[in-house]
Amino acid sequence: MPHPPLKAVTLTHVRYRKGDRLGLFLAWVSLVPVFISLGGFISHFIFRRELQGMFFALGLLISQFINEVIKKSVQQARPETCALLEMCDSHGWPSSHSQYMFFFTVYFTLLSYKKIVLLTGKYRWIASFISWVLAVLTMYSRVYLGYHTVAQVFAGATLGIILGAVWFWVVNSVLLCYFPIIEESAFGRWFYVKDTSHIQNVLEFEYEQARAARKSMGYKCD
């Protein structure tokens, strides 16, 4: 009895030509969305529990849902290299990797402009610049590795930019007034969810609060 065909989990399944060092580098770059999602946002929820970060992550999920709906509606094929990559059974327009990275970059840049990030001063803009570089490299990697055409990655990038900007406006112009309600809700109190976007320098604020709490306890080494 013949075995049924196998299918890879494409979340971290990235192929490149053996011996191609640039391809190896770009294969790791194309995994940046996975690192951001699993390493960044999950760690953020565990250690920070900021509403800004949660709605940031929610926006990325909505963006990816829209991407899947468009892909299934348009049903544009991937380039011919999809046969070697075992990706011919999925659609290519628009590129979800490009859409994810440009949504993330635009939203993060707007957070930096509004000073709603932990970083301060020039470090905000250095981090924003790095995110733009990673977004462009991710877009390039999907074409170089053969997963998408140029048109597909540019479509994803354009959609990501638009959705990132729109979602930032929705969160910070429409939903922001509900943040105190969420903080005081049963969910907010149970998970210690908070909003510190009104604090100019969160790191300095938390540092001073931690020092003051330690002094009030009169902690000393024996």
Side-chain angles (χ1 to χ4, degrees):
M1 181 177 180
H3 293 286
L6 301 178
K7 180 174 174 58
V9 176
T10 57
L11 183 65
T12 58
H13 187 74
V14 183
R15 289 189 169 188
Y16 65 97
R17 295 182 183 88
K18 186 177 181 180
D20 183 358
R21 293 185 177 181
L22 177 59
L24 173 61
F25 169 72
L26 292 174
W28 281 105
V29 168
S30 69
L31 292 176
V32 169
V34 179
F35 300 147
I36 291 174
S37 298
L38 300 182
F41 284 109
I42 292 178
S43 297
H44 179 277
F45 179 78
I46 294 173
F47 296 108
R48 299 295 309 172
R49 309 188 189 190
E50 291 272 0
L51 283 168
Q52 281 285 351
M54 292 180 187
F55 277 92
F56 192 170
L58 176 61
L60 282 166
L61 289 175
I62 294 172
S63 174
Q64 292 305 103
F65 174 77
I66 293 173
N67 179 274
E68 288 299 320
V69 170
I70 295 175
K71 277 184 175 179
K72 291 181 179 179
S73 300
V74 177
Q75 297 187 359
Q76 185 180 105
R78 293 178 183 268
E80 294 180 358
T81 48
C82 67
L84 295 173
L85 301 168
E86 300 178 356
M87 292 288 290
C88 290
D89 59 344
S90 61
H91 306 299
W93 194 96
S95 165
S96 59
H97 281 71
S98 296
Q99 183 173 325
Y100 183 104
M101 284 304 299
F102 278 89
F103 182 108
F104 175 88
T105 299
V106 166
Y107 200 99
F108 183 80
T109 301
L110 291 172
L111 284 176
S112 299
Y113 176 75
K114 292 290 188 179
K115 301 180 180 179
I116 314 175
V117 289
L118 290 177
L119 300 172
T120 58
K122 64 180 181 181
Y123 298 107
R124 289 198 307 268
W125 302 114
I126 292 174
S128 295
F129 175 75
I130 292 173
S131 68
W132 280 101
V133 171
L134 287 174
V136 173
L137 283 174
T138 300
M139 181 172 67
Y140 176 69
S141 75
R142 303 307 287 175
V143 176
Y144 182 89
L145 296 172
Y147 287 90
H148 289 286
T149 64
V150 173
Q152 289 169 354
V153 295
F154 271 99
T158 302
L159 189 57
I161 290 171
I162 294 171
L163 291 176
V166 170
W167 184 246
F168 182 87
W169 178 84
V170 169
V171 172
N172 291 278
S173 297
V174 179
L175 302 178
L176 189 65
C177 61
Y178 296 102
F179 279 14
I181 299 174
I182 299 174
E183 283 181 314
E184 298 301 324
S185 68
F187 169 81
R189 288 178 173 272
W190 182 264
F191 289 103
Y192 300 110
V193 171
K194 63 183 182 296
D195 172 40
T196 60
S197 57
H198 56 284
I199 300 173
Q200 186 71 20
N201 190 328
V202 177
L203 285 179
E204 181 182 13
F205 175 81
E206 292 181 346
Y207 172 72
E208 295 296 342
Q209 289 294 313
R211 289 181 65 227
R214 185 180 66 250
K215 290 178 180 179
S216 66
M217 294 172 62
Y219 176 80
K220 293 182 180 180
C221 293
D222 295 332

